[in-house]
Amino acid sequence: MADTTQPETPESGESAAQPSAPEAPAKPPKPPKPSKDEKRAERLARQITAFAGSHGGAEGQIAHIGRGAVRIALVGTDGEWGVLVAPSQDSARRAAEIAGLTLRDDFDGELAAKVRTGPYEWTRMAGIQLGGPGNPPAAAS
């Protein structure tokens, strides 16, 4: 006997040969916006990197200096030094990490011995005791 089976048709009324519409590619999710602290850390990291690049490398030390302020002391390989202020320990440490800055636990004698001071620093730090110019007199009110 001959085969008399018929192809099945969908019961929903759709034809089996109807092509489905191509799906639109899914948009990748947007990365989260960086927090204010992360933006500040990135800005500080750029400054640290610029300082280190100008002075043949750098080392640093982080210290709390008051409410909402943390100092990042930088000492270049050539003896030049500088200070940056961060809003928190976390952002200071994050900035040092991003910049690849070697951090010291203390601003000890070894790190301090690398600092080169010039006439301006001597005048400002010890000017009165060493005969340098003193502070200007207070304005009369």
Side-chain angles (χ1 to χ4, degrees), residues 54-116:
S54 298
H55 301 289
E59 294 180 82
Q61 190 264 339
I62 295 174
H64 177 76
I65 57 174
R67 184 185 296 174
V70 177
R71 177 191 71 197
I72 306 171
L74 302 170
V75 179
T77 304
D78 63 357
E80 291 295 320
W81 59 279
V83 174
L84 297 172
V85 177
S88 68
Q89 284 275 346
D90 291 340
S91 62
R93 292 198 180 282
R94 180 71 181 130
E97 180 184 317
I98 292 169
L101 181 68
T102 302
L103 289 176
R104 299 272 191 132
D105 290 334
D106 296 313
F107 201 93
D108 58 4
E110 185 180 335
L111 186 58
K114 294 179 180 182
V115 173
R116 184 177 47 129

Side-chain angles (χ1 to χ4, degrees), residues 119-120 122-137:
Y120 173 78
W122 281 103
T123 301
R124 297 300 301 153
M125 290 188 292
I128 296 170
Q129 292 84 356
L130 297 177
N135 293 328

Side-chain angles (χ1 to χ4, degrees), residues 4 11 20 35-36 42 44 53 55-56 72 78 89 92 96 119 126 128:
T4 57
E11 293 178 30
S20 63
S35 67
K36 281 185 177 181
E42 289 171 0
L44 286 166
H55 301 289
I72 306 171
D78 63 357
Q89 284 275 346
I128 296 170

